[in-house]
Amino acid sequence: MSLVEINFDGIIGPSHNYAGLSLGNIASANNAGDTSFPRAAALQGLSKMRHNLALGLVQGFLLPLPRPNGAFLSAIGANGSEDRRLLAAAWSASAMWTANAATVSPAPDTADGRCHLTAANLVTMPHRSQEWPDTVKQLRLAFANPEHFAVHDAVPACFGDEGAANHMRMSASHGDPGIEIFVYGKSGGPFPARQHEQASRAVARLHGIDPARTLFVEQNPEAIAAGAFHNDVVAVANERVLFTHELAFADPEGTYGAIRDLLPEAEIVIVPAAAVSLADAIKSYLFNAQLLTLPSGEMGLVIPLEAWEHPKVRAWLDGMLASNGPIRRVMPVDVRQSMANGGGPACLRLRVVADPATIDQRFLLDEKKIARIEAVVTEHWPASIGADQIGDPALAMRIIAARQALLATLDFAEFG
Ligand code: SUG
């Protein structure tokens, strides 16, 4: 069996809009009420998938969830006329950010030798709290093979869990046993700390990972206050490399030391605040990057264009590339529509280390399938959604039909 890293990107749904729903997410707040461009958004996401596929990597996807979600409104006795924010929540396409779909512990890390996935309850934000029951249905289909996978329901709602965005795995190579690092926040700052320590500990227990190879690390409250609502806004890991802002963790030296104790080959690339301030890191989303091991064995960083175009970030990246560090390539991609809601390249993907042959093949992409999805998006996704159109019954019908067209093209009758 050959274990590889597979990135499952969320296909950006036809209801993508800017409603300013995420307190503590600066991009979401800044762009609240703007007109969104769902078709362009989905095509940008697909073009990132094509980019990574062309690098020789295995690429999968998760489907958009059914929206508008009438059941969400009914459950709170609403019909959408009471409060625009509740209406917008029912219309949210936020499942596109699959880094929040689940936490994943690959087979080499777990006691039963299976890859474990726990859906994230996302309870801190109402518009995200409705995702997991539909997400877990997809995970149970994609990872249905019980010899290789165990898919868990979300942990109870009293413990906020935001999934892989607050979880890092480091290992000599993807197929080797790894160490798992859970990053949680403590409440008390100006913005919610979405990841609770007890949720992280519950997920680690459910997955049966070795406590001696697991770290629970507090996120720096200053980072959350500056807008790092998930740890993946300020740090990303891949195999032996951790790429992090110096202010990501409450106890940076303790964290680096604990990582080095467990994984002596770890290489920690630290960006100092003097070179890139926390504010610039969050504005540019430098760390919300995909740190990928390329088929050549080199590591490359897929960053948002916003980071490439940021003078201070660019200067730091140029210096990094000129040095002899472990990250040898930087590849900017345009995901501006997602970025405007606080979702960079890393938010848009869920990493699963597995043998692709053990996964439901419908969730895996090749060039032809990408072209078919692009055709459906081009034909059916709305070109734009203005703030005043959220709730429009004709637009709702169009959004439902667009998703149905996608499901039909990809043979997912069970979600119709
Ligand atoms: O949860 N934005 C998402 C962005 C998630 C990014 N994911 C990671 N960092 N992994 C969030 O805040 C904005 C929705 C709105 O405002 O309409 C939103 O949900």
Side-chain angles (χ1 to χ4, degrees):
M1 174 166 87
S2 77
L3 297 181
V4 296
E5 178 179 280
I6 310 166
N7 283 270
F8 289 84
D9 280 42
I11 296 177
I12 298 175
S15 67
H16 160 63
N17 67 82
Y18 298 121
L21 297 176
S22 279
L23 178 65
N25 170 342
I26 290 166
S28 153
N30 285 348
N31 297 302
D34 283 3
T35 295
S36 65
F37 297 94
R39 189 183 302 160
L43 293 175
Q44 286 170 1
L46 287 159
S47 129
K48 171 168 97 70
M49 296 182 222
R50 173 178 278 124
H51 172 273
N52 290 355
L53 190 69
L55 292 172
L57 304 170
V58 185
Q59 181 67 51
F61 64 88
L62 294 179
L63 295 161
L65 303 185
R67 297 288 178 271
N69 186 0
F72 174 76
L73 292 176
S74 311
I76 50 175
N79 62 21
S81 64
E82 302 82 356
D83 181 336
R84 300 263 333 145
R85 289 175 68 82
L86 294 178
L87 185 63
W91 279 57
S92 178
S94 53
M96 71 176 81
W97 298 296
T98 52
N100 308 116
T103 306
V104 185
S105 296
D109 299 356
T110 66
D112 66 5
R114 296 189 294 168
C115 174
H116 285 247
L117 300 96
T118 297
N121 61 31
L122 298 170
V123 288
T124 305
M125 297 292 155
H127 68 289
R128 303 219 61 182
S129 68
Q130 60 183 322
E131 290 175 32
W132 84 262
D134 287 314
T135 298
V136 85
K137 281 185 204 156
Q138 282 193 62
L139 298 178
R140 291 221 157 92
L141 199 59
F143 307 105
N145 186 329
E147 268 177 52
H148 298 285
F149 299 101
V151 177
H152 305 270
D153 280 352
V155 303
C158 48
F159 306 122
D161 180 21
E162 302 267 327
N166 294 314
H167 172 257
M168 301 184 291
R169 172 174 192 259
M170 296 181 72
S171 55
S173 78
H174 290 307
D176 288 325
I179 63 168
E180 299 203 11
I181 306 159
F182 291 81
V183 185
Y184 61 87
K186 280 192 184 152
S187 58
F191 297 137
R194 299 198 203 179
Q195 184 72 36
H196 298 189
E197 180 180 356
Q198 289 308 327
S200 299
R201 290 187 183 274
V203 171
R205 280 191 298 267
L206 288 168
H207 290 192
I209 57 177
D210 182 354
R213 298 179 62 76
T214 307
L215 298 174
F216 297 95
V217 169
E218 190 195 339
Q219 198 183 356
N220 185 355
E222 209 186 313
I224 302 177
F229 54 94
H230 292 135
N231 174 64
D232 70 0
V233 175
V234 281
V236 61
N238 178 58
E239 296 188 326
R240 68 184 194 289
V241 177
L242 169 64
F243 177 51
T244 181
H245 193 272
E246 83 169 308
L247 298 175
F249 309 114
D251 173 13
E253 290 311 323
T255 303
Y256 308 151
I259 291 172
R260 289 194 182 105
D261 284 348
L262 292 177
L263 192 75
E265 61 267 63
E267 285 190 59
I268 305 182
V269 180
I270 304 161
V271 180
V276 177
S277 67
L278 203 44
D280 284 342
I282 291 165
K283 189 164 193 269
S284 68
Y285 260 41
L286 166 63
F287 297 94
N288 199 260
Q290 289 184 262
L291 183 54
L292 299 166
T293 304
L294 305 173
S296 64
E298 279 181 353
M299 282 198 204
L301 195 65
V302 175
I303 58 165
L305 268 176
E306 285 82 345
W308 194 236
E309 289 168 354
H310 188 291
K312 287 194 176 138
V313 171
R314 177 67 168 271
W316 192 86
L317 286 170
D318 286 343
M320 178 192 79
L321 287 171
S323 75
N324 205 18
I327 304 172
R328 303 308 316 148
R329 282 178 70 181
V330 173
M331 296 165 277
V333 292
D334 178 0
V335 286
R336 289 193 197 279
Q337 281 290 306
S338 167
M339 282 286 287
N341 247 340
C347 299
L348 286 163
R349 61 93 176 96
L350 180 69
R351 292 181 285 185
V352 178
V353 170
D355 177 349
T358 60
I359 290 167
D360 185 320
Q361 298 299 299
R362 288 177 297 175
F363 288 93
L364 297 179
L365 281 174
D366 57 20
E367 177 56 41
K368 275 194 192 150
K369 212 186 271 188
I370 296 183
R372 263 165 48 214
I373 301 173
E374 279 171 343
V376 173
V377 165
T378 305
E379 186 180 343
H380 294 277
W381 261 230
S384 65
I385 300 183
D388 56 347
Q389 287 180 284
I390 297 171
D392 177 75
L395 182 58
M397 301 285 281
R398 184 158 176 214
I399 286 166
I400 292 165
R403 180 171 168 276
Q404 292 298 337
L406 180 71
L407 297 180
T409 303
L410 297 173
D411 288 327
F412 281 108
E414 49 272 80
F415 293 124

